[in-house]
C-alpha cells in the first residue's frame, strides 16, 4: 500500500510539473491590434499606422515565453497629412528610398530572449527583419489581460534606409530625418 501511495504521489507531481511547464500559443487579433509610428525630422514629424499581418504570443503558464510577428509593409499610412501631401509621403515611404515594399512586402519580429522586469513587464530581445536585413532590438513588453503593449525605437539606417540621414549626408542641414523612428504596439489576443 505504501508503494502504491508513492507511485500515485509521483504521478501527481509529474503531471503537475507537465501542466505548469506547458506552453500556450495565443494568436494576435490583427483587426483589434494597432501599430502606430512616428518619424521625426529637424523641422517636425510625421505619424501614421501600419498593419500587423499575423502574430502570436507564447505563454508558459502566465509568463511570456516567446512571440513572433509579421507586419504588412504595404499598409504604411501617414495620418497627419491629407491629399497630395499624404499621397507623396506614403508613396515615398513605400519606395526603394525607404522600405521598398514591392520587393520587401513584410517585416518580421521574433523574440529571442525574455527577462522578467516585474509581474507584467518583460525585457525582450528580438530579431527584427526589415528589407531582408536582420538585427537585434531590445524593448519592454507590458502584458495585461488579453492585451500587450510595447514601444520600439528602430534605427532605420541599420536596414539600409539612409534617405535624409545626417549620419550619411552631413550637408543635409534642416532637411535631415532622424535615424530612429518610434513604433508603438498595442496587441490584442
Amino acid at each position: 500500500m505504501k508503494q502504491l501511495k508513492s507511485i500515485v504521489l509521483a504521478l501527481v507531481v509529474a503531471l503537475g510539473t507537465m501542466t505548469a511547464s506547458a506552453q500556450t500559443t495565443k494568436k494576435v487579433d490583427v483587426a483589434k491590434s494597432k501599430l502606430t509610428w512616428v518619424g521625426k525630422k529637424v523641422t517636425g514629424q510625421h505619424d501614421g499606422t501600419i498593419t500587423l499581418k499575423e502574430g502570436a504570443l507564447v505563454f508558459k503558464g502566465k509568463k511570456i515565453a516567446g512571440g513572433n510577428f509579421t507586419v504588412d509593409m504595404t499598409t504604411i499610412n501617414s495620418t497627419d497629412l491629407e491629399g497630395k501631401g499624404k499621397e507623396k509621403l506614403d508613396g515615398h515611404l513605400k519606395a526603394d528610398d525607404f522600405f521598398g515594399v514591392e520587393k520587401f512586402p513584410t517585416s518580421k519580429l521574433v523574440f529571442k530572449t525574455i527577462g522578467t522586469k516585474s509581474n507584467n513587464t518583460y525585457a525582450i530581445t528580438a530579431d527584427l527583419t526589415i528589407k531582408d536585413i536582420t538585427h537585434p532590438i531590445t524593448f519592454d513588453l507590458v502584458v495585461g489581460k488579453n492585451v500587450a503593449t510595447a514601444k520600439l525605437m528602430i534605427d532605420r539606417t541599420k536596414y539600409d534606409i539612409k534617405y535624409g540621414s545626417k549620419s550619411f549626408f552631413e550637408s543635409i542641414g534642416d532637411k535631415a530625418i532622424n535615424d530612429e523612428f518610434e513604433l508603438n504596439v498595442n496587441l490584442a489576443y
Side-chain angles (χ1 to χ4, degrees):
M1 188 64 147
K2 228 179 192 182
Q3 191 174 15
L4 182 60
K5 284 183 181 179
S6 295
I7 292 171
V8 170
L9 181 61
L11 281 171
V12 167
V13 169
L15 287 173
T17 303
M18 285 173 45
T19 303
S21 64
Q23 288 189 349
T24 305
T25 299
K26 295 188 178 185
K27 257 185 123 165
V28 171
D29 184 337
V30 296
K32 291 182 181 175
S33 297
K34 187 171 184 180
L35 303 168
T36 59
W37 56 264
V38 178
K40 296 182 180 179
K41 56 186 180 174
V42 173
T43 58
Q45 70 179 42
H46 290 293
D47 51 71
T49 60
I50 192 161
T51 303
L52 192 62
K53 186 174 183 177
E54 61 185 4
L57 288 169
V58 179
F59 289 85
K60 190 172 190 175
K62 292 184 178 185
K63 296 195 177 267
I64 290 288
N68 58 73
F69 307 90
T70 302
V71 175
D72 182 352
M73 298 303 290
T74 67
T75 65
I76 294 171
N77 174 46
S78 58
T79 56
D80 64 315
L81 297 173
E82 294 178 352
K84 289 193 185 281
K86 175 183 173 42
E87 288 175 27
K88 185 177 176 184
L89 178 60
D90 290 356
H92 197 197
L93 291 173
K94 293 176 183 179
D96 291 340
D97 279 354
F98 278 92
F99 295 100
V101 302
E102 191 171 306
K103 187 174 180 183
F104 307 102
T106 61
S107 291
K108 296 188 184 307
L109 180 79
V110 178
F111 291 7
K112 292 298 179 183
T113 61
I114 300 163
T116 303
K117 292 183 93 171
S118 69
N119 276 349
N120 65 341
T121 303
Y122 300 88
I124 308 291
T125 299
D127 280 346
L128 176 62
T129 303
I130 299 174
K131 295 177 76 171
D132 281 346
I133 301 168
T134 303
H135 288 284
I137 187 167
T138 57
F139 57 92
D140 288 348
L141 180 73
V142 179
V143 179
K145 184 175 179 163
N146 299 323
V147 69
T149 59
K151 176 180 170 182
L152 287 71
M153 296 302 294
I154 301 167
D155 183 345
R156 66 188 174 93
T157 63
K158 290 182 176 181
Y159 304 93
D160 198 30
I161 305 168
K162 299 174 185 171
Y163 181 88
S165 170
K166 203 170 201 168
S167 300
F168 294 90
F169 306 100
E170 292 177 15
S171 63
I172 203 157
D174 66 356
K175 296 191 186 297
I177 301 168
N178 291 10
D179 290 348
E180 281 192 326
F181 69 93
E182 183 179 312
L183 185 66
N184 294 295
V185 179
N186 291 290
L187 302 172
Y189 56 90

